[in-house]
Amino acid sequence: MAIIVNLDVMMAKRKMSLNELSEKVGLTLSNLSILKTGKARAIRFSTLEAICSVLDCQPGDILEYVNDERDNNEEWL
Amino acid sequence: MNMTKLNDIVFTVLKVIAWIIFVGLCIESGGLIVNFLFSIFNPDFVDKLYQKLDLSMLYKQSKWAFFSLYSFALTVSVLKAIMFYIVIEMLQKLDLRNPFSSIVAHKITVLSYYALSIGLLSFIAKQTGHNMEKHGYSTERLNQFWVDSDAFIIMAAVVFIIAQIFKRGVYVQQENDLTV
């Protein structure tokens, strides 16, 4: 998928575990895991707001857009 | 009594009814097969059988007519039994608290195909029987097996629409499960 979730990077920067984040954000571990592994199809604004608030970051620090087609072409070349 | 408990009771009753119908259809199919074998090898014994479907007149008139019409009756009967087995399987898999699963959606789609096959086969058999009657064959005893052809075709259409709605439900459920 073209949107990459960099939640693990931000968690590492803030030295926060998944359990701790789960408690502070109020999300279940399974839902956080879905988000972290990039399996999520959508994210609610309220969830994004809670994560940004706890990790003290911007949505852009967690979500990143990567052009799949361009990446594939570069790999091919 | 709250709705959930009432739904559970209705669901259990539905399962029991599905099992009873399935057993009934199996008996009917088995009876037809036994009848078929006896009408070929020992026609005098047919009167003592469960179905009492004596088609020896038709057999004497034309073997081709006998085998083709009997094949229709047997196939429709067996398909009905298989269809109700799928209904039972679907009811076993169906969870009222989380009903939209891909397995149930698949079963409902298969059910619609079976209903359509039964309806079309019954319709073809009915028309063939009518045509044969015009040519002097006695097929009135077999008419009971395909009286409900129109009902099965309509049922297939309705069940197919339900299956499509169910597939959409499965998609929405998956979207919802993967929204954090």
Side-chain angles (χ1 to χ4, degrees):
Chain A
M1 209 164 98
I3 301 289
I4 292 174
V5 182
N6 290 321
L7 187 65
D8 44 354
V9 177
M10 278 315 293
M11 280 164 58
K13 277 183 186 170
R14 299 288 183 262
K15 293 189 174 84
M16 199 178 278
S17 70
L18 203 65
N19 279 322
E20 198 181 343
L21 185 68
S22 158
E23 276 171 25
K24 286 184 176 169
V25 172
L27 274 178
T28 59
L29 269 175
S30 61
N31 271 348
L32 264 184
S33 178
I34 287 170
L35 186 62
K36 210 179 93 172
T37 51
K39 286 178 188 162
R41 291 227 186 123
I43 180 165
R44 291 188 188 91
F45 278 138
S46 55
T47 310
L48 195 58
E49 186 187 333
I51 292 171
C52 287
S53 165
V54 170
L55 293 176
D56 189 24
C57 64
Q58 291 298 313
D61 297 328
I62 298 169
L63 303 174
E64 184 190 350
Y65 171 72
V66 175
N67 193 337
D68 278 349
E69 254 178 50
R70 200 181 58 199
D71 275 17
N72 287 343
N73 289 343
E74 279 170 9
E75 266 177 38
W76 205 77
L77 287 169
Chain B
M1 194 188 294
N2 61 21
M3 276 307 283
T4 321
K5 212 167 187 180
L6 183 72
N7 282 346
D8 284 344
I9 293 169
V10 171
F11 199 58
T12 312
V13 171
L14 272 177
K15 274 185 193 171
V16 173
I17 291 172
W19 267 109
I20 292 170
I21 295 174
F22 172 66
V23 171
L25 287 170
C26 283
I27 292 169
E28 189 181 298
S29 300
L32 270 178
I33 292 167
V34 172
N35 218 323
F36 178 66
L37 295 174
F38 270 97
S39 46
I40 294 170
F41 299 113
N42 191 2
D44 302 333
F45 199 70
V46 171
D47 274 345
K48 290 170 190 159
L49 292 174
Y50 152 70
Q51 294 276 359
K52 293 191 175 88
L53 188 63
D54 187 7
L55 295 174
S56 47
M57 278 291 287
L58 186 65
Y59 186 74
K60 280 171 196 161
Q61 281 173 310
S62 161
K63 278 184 187 174
W64 180 86
F66 171 81
F67 282 115
S68 59
L69 280 183
Y70 221 120
S71 307
F72 272 124
L74 263 177
T75 313
V76 167
S77 180
V78 170
L79 280 177
K80 278 181 187 172
I82 295 172
M83 196 180 95
F84 265 86
Y85 184 70
I86 295 168
V87 170
I88 290 166
E89 274 188 330
M90 188 197 73
L91 289 175
Q92 302 283 0
K93 300 268 189 242
L94 192 64
D95 177 14
L96 283 183
R97 278 154 204 88
N98 193 11
F100 295 109
S101 71
S102 51
I103 300 170
V104 176
H106 174 71
K107 294 274 179 210
I108 296 175
T109 312
V110 173
L111 267 180
S112 73
Y113 295 152
Y114 268 94
L116 184 67
S117 311
I118 293 168
L120 287 178
L121 273 177
S122 301
F123 186 75
I124 294 166
K126 192 162 75 178
Q127 294 305 321
T128 313
H130 283 317
N131 287 340
M132 283 179 163
E133 267 178 26
K134 281 178 194 166
H135 288 90
Y137 293 103
S138 56
T139 61
E140 64 277 359
R141 287 192 179 198
L142 278 165
N143 287 343
Q144 55 172 315
F145 293 102
W146 32 73
V147 282
D148 45 7
S149 61
D150 307 338
F152 268 99
I153 292 172
I154 295 288
M155 181 182 147
V158 173
V159 173
F160 186 74
I161 291 166
I162 292 171
Q164 295 309 308
I165 295 169
F166 222 84
K167 275 183 186 166
R168 181 72 191 156
V170 171
Y171 175 74
V172 172
Q173 176 96 49
Q174 279 174 353
E175 286 276 304
N176 192 44
D177 289 346
L178 291 173
T179 299
V180 291

